[in-house]
Amino acid sequence: MDVIATHNNADFDGLASMVAAQKLFPGAQLVLPAGGQETVRNFLAVHDLGLAKLKDIDLAQVTRLVLVDTQEPDRIGALKSCVENPSVEIVVFDHHVDEESPCAGRSKLSVIEPVGATVTILVELLRQRHMAVTPFEATVIALGLYEETGSFAFASTTARDLEAGAFLVEAGANLNMVADILRRPLDPDAVALLNDFLEHSDVLYLEGRKVLVATSTIDRCRGEAAGVVHMLAEMQGVDAVVVAVMMEDRVQVIGRSRRPEIDVGWIAREFGGGGHAVAAAATVKKQTLAEVKERLVLLLTTHYRPTLLAQDVMTRPVKAIGADTTVSEAGQRMTNYGVNVFPILDEKDRFAGIVNRELIQKALFHRLGKNPVRAIMQTDVYTAQPDTPFHDIELAMIERNQRFVPILTEGKAIGVITRTDLLRTLHDDVLKIARKRIGRPGEPDSEIGGPHRNVKGLLRSRLPGKVVALLEEAGRLADRTDVALFVVGGCVRDLLLAIQNLDLDLVVEGDGIAFARTLGEMWHARVKAHERFGTAVVLLPDGFKLDVATARTEYYEYPTALPTVEQSSIKKDLYRRDFTINALAVRLNEKGFGDVLDFYGGQRDLNDKVVRVLHGLSFVEDPTRVFRAIRFERRFGFHLGRDTAALIGGAVKMNLFHRLSGHRLLEELKLLLDEREPKHAVRRLADFDLLKFIHPKLVWSNRLKSLLETIEQALDWYRLLYLDRKVDIWLVYMTGLLEVLPERAVTEVLKRFPFSEPETAKLKMARAGCHAVMRRLGKRPPLRPAETYRLLSGLSDEVLLSLMAKSKGESVKRQVSAFLITYQHVKPALTGDDLKAMGLKPGPHFKNVLDRLLDARLNGEVKTETEEKALVGRLLV
């Protein structure tokens, strides 16, 4: 006899898996060994699934026991005797991987894989065997799938679960019924239990996560406890919840985790229960509630680090100054680096004290600017070690009102913890609430990523496997060389926007060039270093490249100057970026691989579709960022933040753009005009009165708008030709900008911007030569094909496209189109060798003959090689 069973106090995943397994083992008896949760019992009271009672089963007659959603003998009641009987075949279908289970390996039919729900495994088996399910069966199975995966919202959900869900919907699953059964308002007993949990709870900080441990003596809603625990985790915004509930002669332990790294399944197994990383439970007998809680806390704080350590939170490397630095110089450096506190180092580079901006300003007020900072520094400050618990530092900063804690090793400062570090680490749950975006009616709320977001899955799904492998190898190398490694900037932005971008920028908190050279040796790659900026390019043998840089900070000696760059921390490195959406980093070290660093709200701005600068002097320091802001606004369909738009207006009024070199401005213009449909960006430049910095006479007009639109149409047509040759799109649009300027203004533009010689020649031809060419092409009668070919063959594709855009006559456009599509590809069948074989002696007349043959081919006078030979014969007469 075959028996199919699940764990005691069965949930819908267990029940649904039994129903699915019965289709694989027809005639098997379905048995709940020790009842089910209240929701399951209520369902079975209405729907008869043909379950047998355990007392009616003769266990001696069982030859095969199929266990679903469990493989633990202690959780199947009297059926445990079947497991202990070696003659009984034990088949297991489970999504809880437990290699030590006595049931493992008892049958080749068993399938134990880490998916979101056990029913997913069984649905896959049904599909493989082409076994149909009825709509009611699909609905029952869907109940298990939706409950176990939290309607596909739990972190344990996999792509396989989603595919199983699609199959069930196609099979006719009634999702309204699923929703009605799984979504029930809390009854008074459940509300009382939730309130009791809240009143008797503590928060532990483990591995940088918050774990809530709660207890209750309310046992009136045993079947609802798991749902209440899940709601508790959502309400409190913690990463995991573990509760203990006193129930008569036993204590029920339930765990729910929103982070797989906090494995509640391991905790449940320590109490003799089971489950997986994000959901688990156990029943504990012969222990009091207090004893169970004490053991829970002990297990958590010994298995995981009981608190964050200073080294996990600190910012490094440290920007410090010597004790002999003058007060005036210290104040200037604070401004340059954007800091408010400096650690002071003695002559042996050992920590001596700190000085803050307030002290500096007071000293300057008292005319002490030439005095060394050692004269005013604070020496009685709290310091910590790398392994100092974060909680100790938190208390010290509060009690001492100290905004800045140096982290020392053997007297040397290796890092610092600031108030910002403290708040971000301590109150990420508050940030999560702030990051909640409320959906419109009918839409769910969504959570934007935050400091503790991990995008390991996105990296692996949106980047090629080879690239992910390179990043992982680089991260392991960073661990071996004791440096922190990140991928930063546009690649991270586009990863979050689901845009492919393989332009990878790596940043090292340490010596970036040395790290790049080690990478080069490991990958047999070429490395090109730029010592001045602390950057390097690693070029792999297959042509793929990575940019590697030292984490750095920068300051500007004066507005529009090139930056002065110095080594710094990843936080400062991100602060020097142009916009918040580009000030994002992803950690590549093995521990924390995929963790997002977002100090400045970049993810929120991505979500809100805003381009925003990091500080009010951003455009003063580098006015070219204005053009980038407009470029990103148009590319991503974003909008400029109000403050950013106002700052652009301020930069225009300060007339900073005239100080920019023509080279820097031209590079930004090229990038802007290379975007798709740049007419919108040009219009935005006009809105901010920025066109005058290209030339004072350049203004937005209907003529310019029309010209840019026709260029856009010409380029769209050109792309469809697939000519497999590069055309400088920006240059075609630049011809449009110059077309609306008077001749003298064009000369001034060509003088101000350092166009290359070929670029200048194309712009001049598009400006002056096009009009003469258009007059020739517009003549009546129309030119013959050979004449059109001779007229256009010396012109670049950029000039030809400009010609098409500027022409108002269809005849001109048709002839340019015919040249690009047909004429330029026409060649005579005969070659110089053929002419020699025909008796012609090489000489200048060869070219004349070949040119005449080409003209004849173009004009349709000859169509075959024989006709060409006949024409040559006539030419020689």
Side-chain angles (χ1 to χ4, degrees):
M1 178 173 58
D2 291 349
V3 171
I4 300 174
T6 187
H7 52 81
N8 55 27
N9 197 30
D11 57 10
F12 273 116
D13 190 27
L15 180 68
S17 296
M18 290 169 60
V19 171
Q22 192 177 42
K23 298 187 72 64
L24 299 173
F25 299 92
Q29 293 289 320
L30 302 183
V31 177
L32 288 180
Q37 296 178 0
E38 183 178 353
T39 50
V40 171
R41 296 198 304 271
N42 292 339
F43 178 81
L44 292 175
V46 178
H47 303 283
D48 183 9
L49 299 183
L51 270 65
K53 294 181 179 180
L54 183 57
K55 65 180 182 179
D56 297 332
I57 299 291
D58 183 358
L59 298 183
Q61 299 299 315
V62 176
T63 56
R64 177 160 53 192
L65 174 62
V66 180
L67 295 178
V68 295
D69 202 34
T70 188
Q71 48 190 304
E72 300 170 46
D74 291 336
R75 300 187 70 200
I76 56 175
L79 290 173
K80 181 179 179 180
S81 62
C82 296
V83 176
E84 295 170 344
N85 184 350
S87 66
V88 176
E89 180 185 5
I90 307 297
V91 181
V92 177
F93 298 108
D94 195 8
H95 69 130
H96 311 119
V97 178
D98 183 1
E99 296 177 355
E100 298 180 1
S101 170
C103 298
R106 292 278 292 269
S107 172
K108 293 181 180 180
L109 299 177
S110 296
V111 182
I112 304 170
E113 294 177 349
V115 290
T118 299
V119 287
T120 294
I121 296 171
L122 290 153
V123 166
E124 290 174 344
L125 293 172
L126 293 175
R127 295 179 68 185
Q128 290 170 13
R129 301 181 189 187
H130 305 289
M131 301 180 73
V133 295
T134 67
F136 177 72
E137 290 171 336
T139 302
V140 175
I141 298 172
L143 279 168
L145 180 62
Y146 275 72
E147 181 187 60
E148 191 71 4
T149 62
S151 297
F152 308 112
F154 290 168
S156 56
T157 304
T158 68
R160 293 166 62 183
D161 300 301
L162 295 170
E163 291 172 358
F167 169 79
L168 295 172
V169 171
E170 289 176 356
N174 186 338
L175 296 186
N176 288 329
M177 181 177 176
V178 171
D180 289 341
I181 292 172
L182 296 182
R183 288 196 302 227
R184 302 169 311 282
L186 292 181
D187 60 29
D189 288 340
V191 172
L193 179 61
L194 180 61
N195 184 62
D196 204 34
F197 281 147
L198 291 170
E199 290 184 359
H200 300 89
S201 62
D202 298 298
V203 174
L204 304 176
Y205 291 90
L206 308 171
E207 300 285 355
R209 310 296 188 192
K210 282 187 174 183
V211 178
L212 185 143
V213 178
T215 60
S216 176
T217 56
I218 296 176
D219 66 347
R220 297 192 301 273
C221 55
R222 301 177 187 183
E224 300 294 325
V228 173
V229 172
H230 179 70
M231 181 173 292
L232 181 64
E234 293 288 334
M235 287 176 57
Q236 296 301 97
V238 293
D239 297 296
V241 171
V242 184
V243 304
V245 185
M246 193 71 216
M247 294 183 173
E248 296 179 353
D249 61 341
R250 63 189 183 278
V251 176
Q252 184 75 25
V253 175
I254 303 172
R256 290 292 184 269
S257 175
R258 301 164 73 188
R259 305 283 182 179
E261 56 265 35
I262 303 296
D263 184 355
V264 294
W266 168 80
I267 296 168
R269 287 191 291 275
E270 288 294 310
F271 283 98
H276 48 86
V278 297
T283 298
V284 185
K285 295 183 177 180
K286 298 181 180 180
Q287 291 187 39
T288 67
L289 186 63
E291 289 173 328
V292 171
K293 180 184 178 183
E294 183 180 1
R295 190 178 175 208
L296 274 175
V297 172
L298 182 64
L299 285 170
L300 286 165
T301 56
T302 52
H303 187 72
Y304 302 102
R305 284 186 296 177
T307 184
L308 280 173
L309 304 180
Q311 62 192 13
D312 301 317
V313 179
M314 68 184 185
T315 296
R316 60 180 177 180
V318 179
K319 187 62 67 176
I321 58 175
D324 293 327
T325 304
T326 66
V327 170
S328 294
E329 187 179 352
Q332 183 60 48
R333 290 193 190 181
M334 282 183 175
T335 300
N336 290 344
Y337 300 139
V339 299
N340 293 309
V341 183
F342 269 134
I344 309 300
L345 307 181
D346 63 16
E347 58 278 2
K348 295 182 180 180
D349 287 337
R350 296 172 66 87
F351 175 75
I354 64 173
V355 65
N356 58 43
R357 188 179 292 275
E358 184 179 2
L359 278 175
I360 292 290
Q361 290 175 340
K362 286 182 178 179
L364 291 173
F365 177 78
H366 292 294
R367 300 182 181 180
L368 300 176
K370 295 182 180 180
N371 289 54
V373 290
R374 70 166 71 245
I376 64 169
M377 69 182 182
Q378 296 173 263
T379 57
D380 184 22
V381 296
Y382 171 77
T383 63
Q385 306 295 318
D387 58 355
T388 301
F390 171 75
H391 183 65
D392 293 354
I393 296 171
E394 173 198 355
L395 291 177
M397 293 180 77
I398 294 171
E399 291 173 356
R400 291 168 171 261
N401 193 28
Q402 186 172 322
R403 70 180 71 179
F404 181 98
V405 174
I407 310 301
L408 309 182
T409 296
E410 296 180 353
K412 294 191 175 183
I414 64 165
V416 298
I417 293 180
T418 66
R419 288 180 300 184
T420 302
D421 297 327
L422 177 75
L423 290 170
R424 280 187 175 275
T425 304
L426 189 59
H427 295 298
D428 184 48
D429 54 336
V430 177
L431 291 174
K432 282 184 180 178
I433 294 171
R435 289 191 300 268
K436 284 282 187 181
R437 182 176 64 176
I438 306 302
R440 284 175 276 188
E443 293 183 355
D445 297 349
S446 60
E447 182 181 327
I448 310 156
H452 283 173
R453 182 180 185 184
N454 187 284
V455 293
K456 183 192 301 183
L458 288 183
L459 287 170
R460 290 176 175 166
S461 65
R462 293 179 180 173
L463 294 181
K466 174 192 168 184
V467 174
V468 176
L470 289 175
L471 295 179
E472 290 175 336
E473 286 180 26
R476 289 191 288 270
L477 175 63
D479 290 335
R480 293 196 297 272
T481 54
D482 196 28
V483 297
L485 180 67
F486 309 89
V487 60
V488 303
C491 176
V492 179
R493 175 200 67 215
D494 290 349
L495 177 76
L496 300 179
L497 291 174
I499 298 171
Q500 187 172 70
N501 182 349
L502 299 183
D503 186 9
L504 301 182
D505 294 310
L506 307 187
V507 168
V508 180
E509 281 190 336
D511 189 336
I513 293 178
F515 185 80
R517 286 174 174 152
T518 307
L519 273 181
E521 292 173 6
M522 186 170 71
W523 291 337
H524 307 290
R526 291 191 294 115
V527 177
K528 183 177 180 181
H530 304 277
E531 300 285 349
R532 178 185 173 191
F533 296 106
T535 62
V537 178
V538 180
L539 185 63
L540 275 68
D542 62 359
F544 188 78
K545 71 178 182 68
L546 300 94
D547 293 303
V548 181
T550 300
R552 52 216 162 123
T553 188
E554 62 187 28
Y555 60 89
Y556 296 78
E557 298 287 353
Y558 55 87
T560 75
L562 290 172
T564 299
V565 177
E566 295 186 7
Q567 186 172 335
S568 187
S569 65
I570 184 64
K571 184 176 179 181
K572 284 292 184 183
D573 187 275
L574 295 175
Y575 186 69
R576 68 184 184 83
R577 308 277 163 169
D578 46 12
F579 310 109
T580 58
I581 60 174
N582 292 332
L584 295 164
V586 172
R587 187 181 298 277
L588 297 181
N589 298 77
E590 194 163 12
K591 181 181 178 183
F593 182 85
D595 283 351
V596 176
L597 277 73
D598 179 10
F599 299 105
Y600 309 110
Q603 292 174 96
R604 173 168 286 281
D605 286 341
L606 284 176
N607 186 79
D608 293 340
K609 299 187 176 182
V610 176
V611 177
R612 192 189 313 279
V613 291
L614 276 80
H615 57 85
L617 294 177
S618 184
F619 295 135
V620 173
E621 293 176 344
D622 185 1
T624 61
R625 289 172 175 168
V626 169
F627 295 90
R628 262 173 275 160
I630 291 171
R631 177 156 53 93
F632 290 141
E633 179 188 41
R634 297 311 313 168
R635 179 192 296 180
F636 301 122
F638 286 14
H639 63 275
L640 297 177
R642 258 188 317 184
D643 53 343
T644 301
L647 290 170
I648 291 176
V652 172
K653 290 178 182 177
M654 285 185 264
N655 212 25
L656 296 174
F657 300 89
H658 282 311
R659 303 184 196 178
L660 283 173
S661 68
H663 172 76
R664 292 182 65 194
L665 189 53
L666 178 59
E667 289 305 306
E668 290 299 331
L669 282 174
K670 286 182 178 180
L671 292 171
L672 186 144
L673 294 176
D674 250 338
E675 297 284 331
R676 290 300 293 257
E677 301 183 2
K679 69 175 184 289
H680 301 296
V682 175
R683 176 57 193 264
R684 285 296 269 164
L685 292 177
D687 292 341
F688 287 105
D689 199 21
L690 287 163
L691 291 179
K692 67 183 180 184
F693 297 110
I694 300 174
H695 193 277
K697 291 190 178 296
L698 183 60
V699 295
W700 185 258
S701 63
N702 288 334
R703 182 188 174 197
L704 177 58
K705 176 176 178 288
S706 176
L707 189 53
L708 294 177
E709 287 174 348
T710 55
I711 289 175
E712 186 179 303
Q713 293 165 7
L715 283 166
D716 286 342
W717 170 82
Y718 182 84
R719 291 185 184 100
L720 295 176
L721 299 182
Y722 298 102
L723 294 180
D724 195 27
R725 59 178 183 248
K726 185 179 182 298
V727 63
D728 287 325
I729 292 173
W730 71 267
L731 196 146
V732 184
Y733 281 106
M734 182 62 76
T735 66
L737 299 183
L738 297 185
E739 181 67 20
V740 299
L741 290 175
E743 195 64 42
R744 183 174 177 179
V746 173
T747 302
E748 290 169 350
V749 170
L750 294 177
K751 184 177 180 180
R752 167 160 166 66
F753 296 108
F755 298 104
S756 67
E757 287 187 15
E759 290 167 354
T760 301
K762 291 176 184 179
L763 291 171
K764 287 182 176 179
M765 173 57 72
R767 168 70 184 192
C770 274
H771 296 289
V773 172
M774 281 192 289
R775 284 194 295 272
R776 291 278 308 277
L777 292 174
K779 280 187 174 182
R780 291 287 181 182
L783 298 180
R784 301 190 72 191
E787 293 175 297
T788 300
Y789 174 86
R790 299 298 174 192
L791 183 63
L792 302 180
S793 60
L795 303 180
S796 68
D797 284 4
E798 291 87 357
V799 173
L800 291 172
L801 289 167
S802 177
L803 179 63
M804 288 186 72
K806 293 175 184 178
S807 173
K808 296 180 180 178
E810 289 301 317
S811 174
V812 173
K813 293 179 180 177
R814 278 197 301 271
Q815 291 179 79
V816 175
S817 172
F819 171 80
L820 284 169
I821 296 173
T822 305
Y823 299 166
Q824 66 176 341
H825 304 297
V826 173
K827 300 286 187 256
L830 297 179
T831 65
D833 290 338
D834 294 324
L835 295 182
K836 284 191 287 184
M838 293 174 68
L840 271 74
K841 293 183 178 181
H845 59 287
F846 257 45
K847 182 179 184 305
N848 296 332
V849 172
L850 290 172
D851 284 348
R852 180 67 185 88
L853 283 174
L854 176 59
D855 289 350
R857 273 279 185 179
L858 287 165
N859 292 333
E861 298 168 8
V862 296
K863 297 180 180 178
T864 66
E865 184 177 337
T866 301
E867 291 177 348
E868 286 188 10
K869 287 181 178 179
L871 176 59
V872 171
R874 292 195 297 273
L875 292 174
L876 296 179
V877 173

